[in-house]
Amino acid sequence: MDVLKLLFEYFPTAVFTGKALVFISEDWRVELTEHKNADFSQLTKHLPLVRVKIFKKALNGEFVPGHYEDFQLDSINELASQLEKYIQFAIGTNIRENA
């Protein structure tokens, strides 16, 4: 299951690059990337880890990496909800309306 493709359906303002889900605005860039667990000893299936990277536009116009956070929740709905909340608090804008 490709989690980023499922999240792309949840976030209509995002752009899917094939390897990341990107929200971009005049001042911010947010990237969501998927990281699969290589531990084959686990018997239970979990959704892959989703890393959220926040970038802020500097005075020179470049996007400078700020911080990142990893999310791994078993429900795609809960994952999308928590990602949305985290990103909105981090950048101070509603990502579902305009990035």
Side-chain angles (χ1 to χ4, degrees):
M1 168 177 28
D2 193 0
V3 173
L4 292 181
K5 287 183 182 176
L6 294 172
L7 291 172
F8 179 61
E9 294 174 12
Y10 187 83
F11 297 113
T13 59
V15 175
F16 184 58
T17 68
K19 67 175 189 168
L21 199 57
V22 179
F23 303 89
I24 192 152
S25 71
E26 201 170 302
D27 299 318
W28 297 97
R29 176 183 172 98
V30 178
E31 293 180 4
L32 280 64
T33 53
E34 182 178 322
H35 302 271
K36 293 186 178 10
N37 187 354
D39 183 4
F40 297 110
S41 66
Q42 290 186 345
L43 298 176
T44 58
K45 295 286 184 187
H46 295 285
L47 288 177
L49 180 131
V50 174
R51 178 165 289 166
V52 179
K53 295 180 186 176
I54 307 286
F55 300 82
K56 179 145 176 74
K57 188 178 267 186
L59 294 175
N60 65 0
E62 300 281 326
F63 285 103
V64 179
H67 57 281
Y68 71 90
E69 190 67 42
D70 294 335
F71 289 79
Q72 189 170 26
L73 300 166
D74 291 332
S75 161
I76 191 69
N77 291 333
E78 182 65 18
L79 175 63
S81 173
Q82 293 302 313
L83 288 170
E84 180 179 18
K85 190 184 314 183
Y86 176 80
I87 295 167
Q88 288 181 177
F89 285 139
I91 67 174
T93 188
N94 187 337
I95 60 172
R96 287 178 57 93
E97 292 176 4
N98 55 4

